[in-house]
Amino acid sequence: MSAAEVIRTVDVAVVGAGSMGSMALWHLARSTGMSVLGVEQYGPAHGHAAFAGESRLFRAANKEGALYTAAALEARALWTELERETGRQLLLKTGVLAIAPEGHPFLESTQRSIVEGDLPHRFLDAAELRREYPQFTVEDGDIGIMDLLGGGLRSELAVATAQRAAIRRGAEILYNTPVLGIDEHESGVVISTSEGIVHAQKVIVTTGAWTTRIVPEVRDLVSAIAIPLTWFMPEDISQFTPDRFPCWMRDLDGDHAFGVPALDGYSVKIAPTTRIDTIEDPDTDPRELSREQLRRCTAIATRMFPGILPEVVRSSIHPESATADHVPILDVSESGRTIIGAGFSGNGFKFSPAYGRVLAQLAESGSSALQHPLFTLGHHRRRAQARADDLVLADDYPVLQGH
Ligand SMILES: Cc1cc2nc3c(=O)[nH]c(=O)nc-3n(C[C@H](O)[C@H](O)[C@H](O)COP(=O)(O)OP(=O)(O)OC[C@H]3O[C@@H](n4cnc5c(N)ncnc54)[C@H](O)[C@@H]3O)c2cc1C
């Protein structure tokens, strides 16, 4: 087949069937009468994207503030709908336990989100933490907040499941088909792929860390970063299974880590956040943690958990797209034909069914009630200009910290 041949003509094409793209495909296929095509450079659920690495945290009580509560609650309802539609268990309802010294800013902002959103929760003092969760090192003065609507998501399974659900409802996905470029015309969008041309009325671009390659206009707003994950072997795995051990975030001695219970029968995810800022090429760099980085992760993990073996048994690094203030972009280009979902900044997976719906609604009607004004290109351009001019804007808000 010649790369210049028209291979499909559709109403909406979704470029990048990862976390957000798969969910946008599901919503488009289930709630609109439009013809829908996904175009993905790899296979259905692969190891190269931001969703890879077994699991992600779902928090309803976001330490980044109540700005995200509506999206989190909408997403939780949609996770349940996707589970019901497909018969797959995607959300592990373990709760998310945040432990930190009393007064820690993350605990305070989590508590504010809980109060403002009236979210179900539990506070635990140091004695209760030691009694109920002996897996953690607990210092005098530590307190815990259990986000009872929180839990863990099986991320590769979720992406593959959303794709299957979309396909069952009539969407088509072209796998192993890199998109090489997108050109907007008056009558539509011309998408050049390795296999030929796709004509669409609208295109949703959800290409994660690869976004600036496909939409160079957002180069000033979005960058590619990488986030590592690590797993450790507990001495007693039965202490770390989802029936006894929740998803968690821990701040101790100035270090932050997060994790998910043991899902593979031998190891538990304990990931000290050592985000790698700005990577050049999401296809190649970086793919492995250095010996020094592994040693540092081990030191943090063994300090937080007395009952684990002092060595990383599994690790991986995943590319992600980020904005300067970690607020995502979910918006339509000036022409109205290109819809962009990018810059989820280590924090987007939990919201993906809600953000996928926003993207689908933007493609269908040009607006979405869940599109917060901070998520617009206009907002991000104003912030970029203010940064360039060294100005502090009046509408300042907390920076997202990830997961
Ligand atoms: C290690 C790590 C831990 C995280 N932890 C959490 C957490 O606990 N909780 C949470 O809510 N969030 C978390 N996040 C964030 C969350 O996983 C991401 O925000 C989310 O997965 C981003 O989704 P995306 O659709 O933008 O990108 P991706 O899921 O990476 O999807 C992009 C897709 O586009 C495809 N693509 C790219 N270029 C092209 C092209 N030219 N042609 C065709 N296809 C293309 C890619 O192959 C990929 O499939 C974490 C992220 C990382 C990296």
Side-chain angles (χ1 to χ4, degrees):
M1 184 150 323
S2 137
E5 200 172 316
V6 176
I7 53 170
R8 298 288 187 284
T9 299
V10 291
D11 293 325
V12 185
V14 178
V15 175
S19 321
M20 306 299 160
S22 299
M23 295 295 172
L25 284 162
W26 178 49
H27 286 295
L28 286 163
R30 75 203 280 254
S31 338
T32 71
M34 298 192 286
S35 54
V36 183
L37 177 76
V39 190
E40 167 56 49
Q41 64 182 346
Y42 292 110
H46 54 88
H48 309 276
F51 60 77
E54 184 187 79
S55 54
R56 292 289 181 270
L57 291 194
F58 177 90
R59 292 175 292 123
N62 282 279
K63 63 186 185 304
E64 296 79 15
L67 164 63
Y68 295 93
T69 307
L73 294 179
E74 162 105 357
R76 198 170 190 280
L78 288 167
W79 282 117
T80 307
E81 260 182 69
L82 182 59
E83 286 184 329
R84 206 178 302 126
E85 182 174 319
T86 59
R88 295 274 195 182
Q89 193 202 8
L90 306 172
L91 177 62
L92 302 165
K93 293 178 181 145
T94 62
V96 175
L97 178 61
I99 308 178
E102 189 166 7
H104 193 283
F106 286 172
L107 282 186
E108 304 230 307
S109 52
T110 301
Q111 195 170 339
R112 267 197 305 279
S113 294
I114 285 174
V115 172
E116 287 170 30
D118 194 20
L119 299 172
H121 65 279
R122 229 192 113 197
F123 290 113
L124 296 96
D125 62 21
E128 288 168 318
L129 285 169
R130 286 185 185 120
R131 194 170 54 246
E132 294 183 38
Y133 299 106
Q135 301 89 343
F136 292 93
T137 302
V138 176
E139 303 282 298
D140 293 342
D142 280 339
I143 60 163
I145 302 180
M146 177 65 93
D147 171 359
L148 290 167
L149 291 181
L153 290 158
R154 294 176 180 270
S155 47
E156 288 95 340
L157 185 62
V159 167
T161 299
Q163 291 178 17
R164 300 308 303 169
I167 291 168
R168 265 199 302 274
R169 287 174 175 273
E172 185 189 5
I173 304 179
L174 302 176
Y175 293 114
N176 300 306
T177 307
V179 165
L180 310 172
I182 298 174
D183 288 307
E184 288 185 354
H185 294 271
E186 249 169 49
S187 58
V189 185
V190 175
I191 300 161
S192 308
T193 81
S194 58
E195 303 304 306
I197 301 286
V198 173
H199 277 163
Q201 285 306 305
K202 306 252 176 98
V203 61
I204 296 177
V205 182
T206 43
T207 42
W210 294 263
T211 297
T212 55
R213 285 193 191 165
I214 299 295
V215 193
E217 305 83 72
V218 296
R219 196 162 280 151
D220 292 346
L221 310 180
V222 178
S223 61
I225 62 166
I227 305 176
L229 295 173
T230 42
W231 286 258
F232 292 81
M233 264 175 75
E235 278 162 20
D236 177 4
I237 191 78
S238 72
Q239 291 287 316
F240 288 87
T241 48
D243 53 327
R244 301 185 61 168
F245 185 64
C247 295
W248 56 274
M249 290 184 301
R250 178 75 170 111
D251 289 275
L252 182 63
D253 304 337
D255 293 313
H256 178 81
F258 69 99
V260 173
L263 300 176
D264 61 4
Y266 81 101
S267 71
V268 59
K269 183 187 271 186
I270 300 174
T273 315
T274 45
R275 169 186 147 147
I276 300 163
D277 286 310
T278 317
I279 55 170
E280 294 299 324
D281 184 354
D283 288 319
T284 55
D285 55 282
R287 281 285 169 235
E288 278 182 31
L289 288 168
S290 67
R291 189 71 202 123
E292 187 43 43
Q293 287 168 318
L294 291 170
R295 256 199 291 270
R296 170 99 186 105
C297 291
T298 303
I300 296 171
T302 50
R303 168 87 177 97
M304 292 184 177
F305 294 93
I308 59 165
L309 301 181
E311 181 68 67
V312 174
V313 286
R314 196 144 70 88
S315 68
S316 51
I317 304 186
H318 307 277
E320 162 75 314
S321 67
T323 61
D325 55 12
H326 298 190
V327 172
I329 297 171
L330 294 160
D331 204 5
V332 188
S333 69
E334 271 156 35
S335 71
R337 293 204 180 272
T338 304
I339 294 94
I340 300 169
F344 299 101
S345 309
N347 200 21
F349 199 81
K350 65 179 78 54
F351 303 113
S352 57
Y355 288 168
R357 177 180 268 178
V358 174
L359 294 166
Q361 289 172 340
L362 291 175
E364 191 184 14
S365 67
S367 69
S368 166
L370 259 189
Q371 186 205 27
H372 195 283
L374 293 181
F375 299 167
T376 58
L377 284 161
H379 160 77
H380 282 276
R381 292 210 172 100
R382 275 193 302 282
R383 299 286 298 191
Q385 189 57 53
R387 272 192 305 279
D389 297 344
D390 220 7
L391 291 175
V392 177
L393 295 183
D395 64 341
D396 222 353
Y397 44 83
V399 166
L400 283 163
Q401 297 299 328
H403 53 265

